[in-house]
Amino acid sequence: MKKGHFSKAGFILASAGSAVGLGNIWKFPYIAGDNGGGAFVLVYLLTVAFVGIPLLAAEIALGNMTQREPVSAFEHVAPSGKKQWRFAGFSFLGSFTLLTFYSVVIGWLYYYIYLTLFHLPTSIAEAEAAFMGLVTGDAITQIFFHALAMLTVALVVAGGIQKGIERINTFMMPALILIILVMFFYALSFDTFGKAVSFMFDPDFSKLTAYGVLVAVGHAFFTLSIGMAAIMTYASFSGKQTKVLSSSLWITGIDTAIALLAGLMMFTFMYNFGMDPQKGAGLVFISMPAVFYQMGAVGNVFAVLFFVALTFAGLTSAISILEPTVAHLEERRKISRTKAVWGSAAIIYLIGFFALLSQVKGFGFLSVGEKSLFDAIDLLSSSIMLPLGGLTLALFLGWVVDRHNLERFLEGHGFTKVIFNVWFFAIRFVAPVAITTIMLYSLFFGSL
Ligand code: PHE
């Protein structure tokens, strides 16, 4: 089948765009803060290295090897008699589910660019009132910006792999990296930088709970876009020049660097202005705007740049989250790309619409058990579908596919014998055990 292809750098950039997302700048700093810093970061980094990279390499391998959308990719390499493994390809539904609320958060970011352009909250109390007012009180604003967010994502994906996805990543990723670097270097000039470094890198294991470990492991998967067939789908559009090992390392390197730089920068600023990093999910939307206000004129510029960077990070991920569904509909169900994009975007928008409403006062009935629809969808996609996708992928390559075929393929992709053995061990044993543990834990003890 003839498919449009990413260039070699385009594939790495787009996949790094997928990996670097709201997870890196919004979630990572606050979960690191909530879970005591250093020891948490260490567990996260170890998981990224020993489980994350092998799984990422597995996704890229499967996509690149088959050049097919997820369901057909599994079907293609499954040995005869085991073709039912194609169902593992339905992990792309995790992406579909994730996008319903991911796009709502991008809508908030759009609004925050607009907001910070004109006015910064003068105190934490004001910042908190503004954010809570938006999320729990202002359905109309959210609906409007959510629509803009979904529209942007759909337009880019409708543009296709090269003219849509590669092109936007070639612009947004360097811009995002530049903004984070500028802010990071500014943070270097603050005395509190050292305090931020020791908070993030001095491991104090007395502060780390079992729950914290599981959050770190779960986040390592999420941040690398594993288990939802996102990078696997991108890889199906990568060519012969793309090498599995070097691509995996580049993507992980960029993703980890951005998370650490953003975390250090934000903690430095927060310490400097006397704020507590243990602020939870409101860190980006509540603490940071108040911090920027205190910085004076520079803060005004930084605030806008910061939300632009976050928006770019979110958009380049959201695009990779929509593409698997579109690729499936287009290649496997033979629906035109245009129809696939707008049809799925419309359904995702609608579900997101109810998710957003579920947090607004008066719409509490939009709930699943104790949780708002918004939180329930988050739990379903990040704590159930994502680990399931990662688990089936690992079991499939580790136990079902012919080992020698895999080895032969990966030999051409930078895997020496030793690297292959280490990788295979991680895929066969380490990943399934790690994932099963976090799944059981989150099912029995609630959301991660
Ligand atoms: N990696 C993205 C982030 O950190 C989220 C994501 C998950 C994207 C799964 C694609 C697939 O925000």
Side-chain angles (χ1 to χ4, degrees):
M1 187 188 315
K2 270 249 164 294
K3 300 218 292 185
H5 271 164
F6 281 121
S7 69
K8 184 178 176 190
F11 169 68
I12 292 176
L13 217 53
S15 304
S18 171
V20 177
L22 304 178
N24 298 59
I25 309 178
W26 173 49
K27 202 166 173 193
F28 175 69
Y30 92 72
I31 55 176
D34 282 351
N35 291 288
F40 174 90
V41 174
L42 188 65
V43 175
Y44 161 78
L45 290 175
L46 290 174
T47 314
V48 164
F50 292 108
V51 197
I53 296 177
L55 279 170
L56 183 60
E59 287 217 11
I60 299 177
L62 198 53
N64 181 274
M65 180 193 310
T66 60
Q67 303 280 302
R68 287 167 162 80
E69 60 78 36
V71 176
S72 315
F74 276 90
E75 190 175 65
H76 187 65
V77 287
S80 54
K82 299 202 172 148
K83 295 294 181 195
Q84 68 279 23
W85 273 91
R86 70 175 176 280
F87 287 110
F90 282 99
S91 59
F92 79 82
L93 290 174
S95 304
F96 182 89
T97 314
L98 174 63
L99 190 53
T100 61
F101 77 94
Y102 206 87
S103 55
V104 174
V105 181
I106 300 178
W108 298 344
L109 290 168
Y110 274 23
Y111 175 66
Y112 265 71
I113 296 179
Y114 159 81
L115 199 72
T116 50
L117 218 40
F118 299 104
H119 172 76
L120 286 178
T122 55
S123 65
I124 278 277
E126 190 187 330
E128 186 159 3
F131 182 61
M132 295 319 282
L134 172 71
V135 174
T136 64
D138 191 349
I140 301 296
T141 303
Q142 289 191 77
I143 291 169
F144 175 72
F145 285 100
H146 176 218
L148 279 190
M150 237 7 255
L151 199 65
T152 322
V153 174
L155 276 174
V156 175
V157 177
I161 294 298
Q162 273 154 347
K163 296 215 174 82
I165 300 178
E166 177 160 342
R167 198 197 274 170
I168 199 113
N169 273 288
T170 316
F171 161 67
M172 285 186 177
M173 284 306 287
L176 149 73
I177 293 172
L178 189 70
I179 295 174
I180 298 290
L181 279 179
V182 168
M183 294 179 72
F184 175 78
F185 281 112
Y186 187 67
L188 272 182
S189 69
F190 285 64
D191 292 339
T192 45
F193 182 74
K195 201 169 164 193
V197 172
S198 58
F199 178 69
M200 277 188 52
F201 295 110
D202 279 350
D204 173 355
F205 284 95
S206 67
K207 289 199 186 131
L208 189 65
T209 57
Y211 177 75
V213 171
L214 295 165
V215 176
V217 174
H219 187 67
F221 296 145
F222 184 80
T223 191
L224 290 178
S225 303
I226 285 166
M228 297 193 174
I231 292 189
M232 190 193 300
T233 305
Y234 272 2
S236 77
F237 296 100
S238 68
K240 284 234 176 306
Q241 342 78 283
T242 289
K243 297 292 172 231
V244 173
L245 187 63
S246 58
S247 313
S248 318
L249 295 177
W250 268 109
I251 297 162
T252 311
I254 297 174
D255 184 71
T256 311
I258 296 287
L260 296 178
L261 291 178
L264 284 173
M265 173 264 284
M266 286 157 70
F267 288 137
T268 303
F269 290 158
M270 281 192 287
Y271 281 132
N272 190 67
F273 297 106
M275 282 181 206
D276 181 7
Q278 273 105 24
K279 258 271 164 250
L283 196 137
V284 152
F285 290 102
I286 299 171
S287 309
M288 288 308 285
V291 160
F292 288 129
Y293 172 77
Q294 297 200 32
M295 272 185 196
V298 182
N300 281 312
V301 180
F302 273 3
V304 179
L305 285 179
F306 178 72
F307 284 107
V308 167
L310 252 172
T311 305
F312 285 0
L315 283 173
T316 50
S317 298
I319 289 158
S320 79
I321 308 176
L322 181 56
E323 179 60 36
T325 304
V326 170
H328 176 77
L329 293 175
E330 190 185 8
E331 291 171 32
R332 183 127 183 150
R333 315 259 162 211
K334 308 285 177 240
I335 294 172
S336 78
R337 187 167 183 92
T338 315
K339 274 195 196 140
V341 169
W342 293 104
S344 42
I347 300 173
I348 289 169
Y349 177 77
L350 206 67
I351 302 175
F353 172 86
F354 287 110
L356 152 184
L357 272 189
S358 75
Q359 311 212 85
V360 175
K361 272 190 225 96
F363 291 90
F365 59 88
L366 290 170
S367 61
V368 182
E370 302 268 278
K371 289 187 184 302
S372 69
L373 186 60
F374 191 96
D375 290 338
I377 297 179
D378 183 4
L379 176 75
L380 176 67
S381 60
S382 316
S383 304
I384 299 175
M385 298 173 99
L386 182 153
L388 256 183
L391 181 64
T392 45
L393 173 72
L395 292 177
F396 180 66
L397 291 186
W399 298 90
V400 180
V401 171
D402 180 63
R403 179 189 166 133
H404 297 288
N405 286 345
L406 267 181
E407 192 163 359
R408 214 168 317 125
F409 173 79
L410 289 173
E411 247 170 35
H413 283 264
F415 282 62
T416 60
K417 189 128 195 91
V418 175
I419 297 179
F420 178 82
N421 286 335
V422 173
W423 174 79
F424 199 61
F425 182 79
I427 288 294
R428 216 169 145 89
F429 300 107
V430 185
V433 170
I435 299 173
T436 311
T437 316
I438 60 164
M439 277 192 76
L440 290 179
Y441 191 94
S442 60
L443 282 181
F444 290 112
F445 298 99
S447 168
L448 286 182

